[in-house]
Structures are given as C-alpha cells and as structure tokens.
C-alpha cells in the first residue's frame, strides 16, 4: 500500500510528463532530499516510476523520473470499475450479441481517424504503424515475425491489456480491439493468444484478405 508521500510523488509526476528530479520532488513534498530519495527508490523498485536522463548544455545529463504505465494505472482503477458496471448494464439490457456489435462499431469508429493514412502502406509497414497506435493508447506492444512463415505480416504481441480488468468480467470487450485492428489493417485478425483467456500475452495475427 502506498504511503502519503509516495502517492504525492506519483501525483507530481502525473502532472509533469516531462519528468521531475529529486530536488523538484523534495521541494514539492516539503520533505528532505534524502527522504524523497528513499520514497523514489521504493517506487522505482515497484515499477511505478522510471529514471529518465535529460541532456544539459554543460556537465553530466540531469536525472529525472517519470511515471511508467504501471504508475499511470494507479490513477485509473476507478475507471475500470465504472466501465465494468456500465458494460454489465448494457449487456443486461441489450444482450450479449448486441453488446458485441456495439463494441465492434466503437472499434471501427476509433479507426476512422487514421484509417486513410494507412491504406497506401505496405502491409508490414501498416502493422508496424498499428503497433505504435496501440502504444499511444496504453498497450505495451512489440512486433514478431513468424519464423515458419516469414512472408506473412508481422504479428503484434501486447504484453499489457488496457481493458484487462473489464475484459476479465466481460470478454466481449476484446471484440472492440479486433474491430479496431481489422479496420486499420484491412486484414482479418486472429486473436491467437489472449491474456484474459489465460495466455501470457495477447497475440494478433494479420491475414490478408
């Protein structure tokens, strides 16, 4: 459980995405530099913040700290609860089939803003760009090539699902991801491995139509 000073450090970094150094955090919290350093090391150990070097015109690079994805997630837990309750209410009113259709429509709508920019790209470049878009949405993604069929488009492997808490109770949420990826890529998408279904990661394979 986070202490009050550690919570304040996370809040300070939340509002300073460019990063803050130890002295800045110490001043913000009104505690000693040494005490601040101890809290920072604990948060870093727990994966909630990470070091970031900033170049200086003279001398060594200055060291600041930024929130990690895990650190940002500490501020979104209430949103997961609200989303879970909301989707549950929609499913109860509309039924599973209509909920899935609604989520698919949302996925297609999300894709509309960038869809045309990707249409002219080779499929490998398109998938690479989609991976970057997913990162901007909060996913931790990497590209992998199937060694047995290297001629096929690369796969997107997500090590973190931004809807994990919601999808555990309502797996229909995955249909929004698939609609988004399918619409952006112009391919059919095979969700061959899924964190919610017990996989170690989410794996998306793109099959040209």
């Amino acid at each position: 459980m986070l202490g009050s000073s550690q919570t304040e450090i996370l809040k300070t970094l939340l509002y300073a995405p460019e990063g803050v150094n130890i002295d800045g955090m110490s001043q913000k919290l009104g505690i000693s530099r040494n005490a601040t350093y101890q809290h920072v090391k604990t948060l870093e150990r727990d994966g909630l913040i990470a070091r970031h070097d900033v170049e200086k015109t003279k001398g060594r690079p200055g060291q600041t700290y930024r929130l990690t994805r895990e650190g940002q997630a500490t501020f979104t837990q209430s949103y997961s609860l609200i989303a879970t309750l909301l989707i549950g209410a929609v499913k109860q009113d509309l039924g599973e089939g209509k909920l899935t259709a609604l989520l698919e429509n949302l996925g297609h709508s999300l894709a509309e803003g960038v869809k045309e920019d990707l249409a002219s790209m080779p499929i490998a470049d398109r998938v690479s760009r989609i991976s970057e878009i997913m990162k901007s949405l909060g996913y931790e993604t990497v590209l992998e090539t199937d060694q047995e069929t290297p001629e096929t488009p690369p796969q997107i492997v997500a090590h973190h699902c931004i809807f994990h808490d919601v999808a555990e109770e309502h797996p229909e949420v995955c249909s929004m991801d698939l609609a988004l990826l399918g619409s952006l890529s112009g391919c059919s998408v095979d969700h061959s491995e899924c964190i919610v279904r017990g996989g170690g990661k989410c794996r998306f394979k793109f099959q040209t139509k």
Side-chain angles (χ1 to χ4, degrees), residues 88-174:
V90 172
K91 181 159 59 173
Q92 184 174 0
D93 288 345
L94 299 181
E96 184 177 321
K98 288 186 177 180
L99 171 63
T100 299
L102 175 62
L103 291 168
E104 288 175 348
N105 286 337
L106 287 175
H108 292 308
S109 296
L110 281 173
E112 284 303 315
V114 291
K115 186 176 178 181
E116 293 183 5
D117 296 335
L118 304 183
S120 61
M121 291 183 178
I123 182 59
D125 293 342
R126 210 179 312 162
V127 171
S128 178
R129 174 62 184 138
I130 292 169
S131 178
E132 294 302 315
I133 292 171
M134 292 180 73
K135 287 180 182 178
S136 73
L137 294 173
Y139 292 89
E140 295 288 346
T141 61
V142 295
L143 295 177
E144 289 188 4
T145 301
D146 189 336
Q147 299 302 319
E148 295 183 0
T149 55
E151 71 281 0
T152 60
Q155 303 169 14
I156 292 179
V157 177
H159 294 272
H160 167 67
C161 174
I162 61 175
F163 300 115
H164 183 267
D165 292 343
V166 183
E168 277 194 317
E169 189 162 339
H170 304 292
E172 298 88 355
V173 169
C174 296

Side-chain angles (χ1 to χ4, degrees), residues 153-201:
Q155 303 169 14
I156 292 179
V157 177
H159 294 272
H160 167 67
C161 174
I162 61 175
F163 300 115
H164 183 267
D165 292 343
V166 183
E168 277 194 317
E169 189 162 339
H170 304 292
E172 298 88 355
V173 169
C174 296
S175 62
M176 183 167 67
D177 278 345
L178 293 174
L180 171 65
L181 299 186
S183 188
L184 287 174
S185 66
C187 300
S188 59
V189 182
D190 177 19
H191 195 181
S192 60
E193 185 177 358
C194 176
I195 295 173
V196 173
R197 298 198 305 263
K201 56 188 76 71

